[in-house]
Amino acid sequence: MAYGAQTSWSISAPSRRPLARERRCTFFTRCAGSPFGEVSGKSSASPFGKPSSRPFGGAGGGSPFGTGASSVDPFAAAPAGTDRKEKGGAWGENSRKTRHGKLVEKADYRAWNDVEVFDVPSELRRPSAEAVVEHVKFFGLEELFPSTGLQEKFNADAAFRTAIRRAIRDDLFVPDPKASDKVNAAISSLSSSLMVNWKSSRTGYASLTKVFADNTVQNLTGENFIQTLGKLCGPVSHGSLIDITSTGRKQERHSWHQDSGLDRFTVMVGFPPESNWTGVGVFSHSCKLSHPLRQDGDEGEVIQWEDYEAGELPVSAIGRPEYSPGREVMVYCDATHLHSAPDETNRESAWRFM
């Protein structure tokens, strides 16, 4: 579940219509402020105007702009009170139990390029929203940082990848003056999912710059690295970066949601479980939507798919993005996708810029 998410709230006239048959759509609009360049056709302007003060949805959790950062699991499984099984739903035949007793979806997933766009039922669409024009886009580190040698080093050296994760803690974590040294150390440890502000650094990103210089990455500073990735969020961004940790490989059920439902871009950087690795389970799983979803809560609150009581997403619409050298960075608009932690996780961690 996304950081700071409410697990339930009042829903106005929830829909009980069964899922419409998924199909590919003809696209006409796009997420506002796209970093992908211009396309022909109409532009979908943001209906919210000014940036939301609650892009993570609801209350709770610490701000990356305060005196400290938060140690969180932003993609943890939903609490028992929101479990579909307890609410009367059923996992059906496409499920199994892990050795820990958790229910996990078992399905014949499609390859990423064959995943269908989910046709959002008309009553679940954002009012007056037009069809979506584009979905997930991938970038390579060589494309973003040409002639630096970063992409080759990143994929070949596990110690280098871990050093990058450690460096952002030195450069971006602001200790909480009200907490003990032991607590601050636990919050900022590599085993904790840490949220920080990527837009400024009290050290000038010095630790990251040193990691690059010590590892023969040429002409790249820590500031250029972080700011280039952050700017893929587009002209309006919250400024948060979460290092989502993953200790080993784990299995859990999907929990489909949007972090805010706003026309904002999310940027993910994958840290694979081993060097020279290609496969799924690094990035969040994604469902491409034909239209933005309606918001039944307050502006900017987390949208949980199960709260619409519209049934399970079809397997044909569940995308499992593949990490590979040259596809280290994934960018998507929150309003035009549902996403979830992978049902099978294979990663050291994943960064999420918003």
Side-chain angles (χ1 to χ4, degrees):
M1 179 176 297
Y3 170 74
Q6 290 180 318
T7 57
S8 63
W9 55 80
S10 298
I11 301 294
S12 301
S15 169
R16 298 183 182 275
R17 173 180 171 178
L19 289 179
R21 181 176 63 87
E22 67 278 8
R23 64 177 184 268
R24 294 189 181 275
C25 299
T26 302
F27 304 131
F28 299 100
T29 60
R30 67 189 302 158
C31 193
S34 171
F36 304 150
E38 296 298 321
V39 296
S40 59
K42 295 182 180 179
S43 176
S44 175
S46 171
F48 301 113
K50 296 187 295 183
S52 168
S53 61
R54 294 194 292 175
F56 295 106
S63 168
F65 310 110
T67 57
S70 298
S71 174
V72 298
D73 185 354
F75 290 145
T82 62
D83 192 292
R84 277 170 282 186
K85 185 178 180 183
E86 293 190 9
K87 291 173 69 174
W91 284 97
E93 296 179 356
N94 286 334
S95 64
R96 59 185 171 86
K97 284 189 176 182
T98 68
R99 61 188 177 89
H100 301 294
K102 293 182 179 180
L103 284 167
V104 179
E105 296 167 27
K106 182 180 180 181
D108 294 325
Y109 293 112
R110 296 187 177 189
W112 176 255
N113 290 335
D114 296 328
V115 171
E116 295 184 359
V117 174
F118 176 63
D119 188 21
V120 177
S122 58
E123 68 270 24
L124 299 185
R125 297 175 184 176
R126 181 192 294 171
S128 303
E130 298 184 10
V132 177
V133 71
E134 64 188 0
H135 289 99
V136 176
K137 185 174 178 64
F138 295 93
F139 294 90
L141 291 176
E142 177 63 24
E143 178 182 0
L144 296 173
F145 308 101
S147 303
T148 62
L150 176 62
Q151 179 173 300
E152 181 178 358
K153 183 68 174 177
F154 187 87
N155 284 287
D157 191 335
F160 175 65
R161 294 191 297 273
T162 301
I164 291 175
R165 296 182 55 231
R166 185 178 293 110
I168 67 159
R169 286 155 167 79
D170 295 337
D171 288 337
L172 302 179
F173 174 66
V174 180
D176 186 347
K178 297 181 181 180
S180 66
D181 291 343
K182 183 177 181 180
V183 169
N184 278 314
I187 291 173
S188 60
S189 70
L190 287 173
S191 61
S192 293
S193 292
L194 180 74
M195 186 173 78
V196 293
N197 175 12
W198 60 263
K199 292 190 174 182
S200 63
S201 168
R202 58 190 176 87
T203 67
Y205 306 92
S207 292
L208 264 175
T209 299
K210 186 175 187 304
V211 167
F212 294 146
D214 290 347
N215 286 274
T216 66
V217 175
Q218 301 176 0
N219 302 317
L220 182 62
T221 65
E223 180 176 11
N224 185 22
F225 177 67
I226 293 295
Q227 295 296 322
T228 297
L229 292 169
K231 286 178 181 177
L232 291 175
C233 293
V236 179
S237 60
H238 182 257
S240 66
L241 164 59
I242 303 181
D243 181 25
I244 305 163
T245 62
S246 178
T247 54
R249 292 169 168 81
K250 61 181 180 179
Q251 297 176 322
E252 59 188 357
R253 73 178 182 89
H254 281 127
S255 180
W256 297 104
H257 63 279
Q258 294 180 344
D259 292 316
S260 67
L262 299 177
D263 294 319
R264 305 284 182 81
F265 284 91
T266 297
V267 178
M268 299 197 77
V269 182
F271 287 73
E274 57 192 59
S275 295
N276 302 314
W277 193 81
T278 295
V280 299
V282 176
F283 297 119
S284 295
H285 287 183
S286 176
C287 175
K288 306 171 188 178
L289 301 178
S290 66
H291 295 76
L293 295 170
R294 72 170 196 246
Q295 172 62 274
D296 290 334
D298 292 335
E299 175 186 317
E301 282 192 345
V302 169
I303 294 176
Q304 295 282 0
W305 173 252
E306 64 183 19
D307 286 332
Y308 291 122
E309 299 185 2
E312 298 284 350
L313 292 174
V315 171
S316 58
I318 294 177
R320 304 167 80 215
E322 184 177 87
Y323 176 97
S324 64
R327 287 167 61 101
E328 297 89 0
V329 180
M330 169 180 168
V331 183
Y332 62 90
C333 179
D334 192 63
T336 60
H337 300 77
L338 286 163
H339 65 270
S340 169
D343 60 344
E344 295 191 21
T345 302
N346 297 293
R347 64 190 180 199
E348 177 183 348
S349 77
W351 284 5
R352 189 185 72 182
F353 289 80
M354 291 179 67

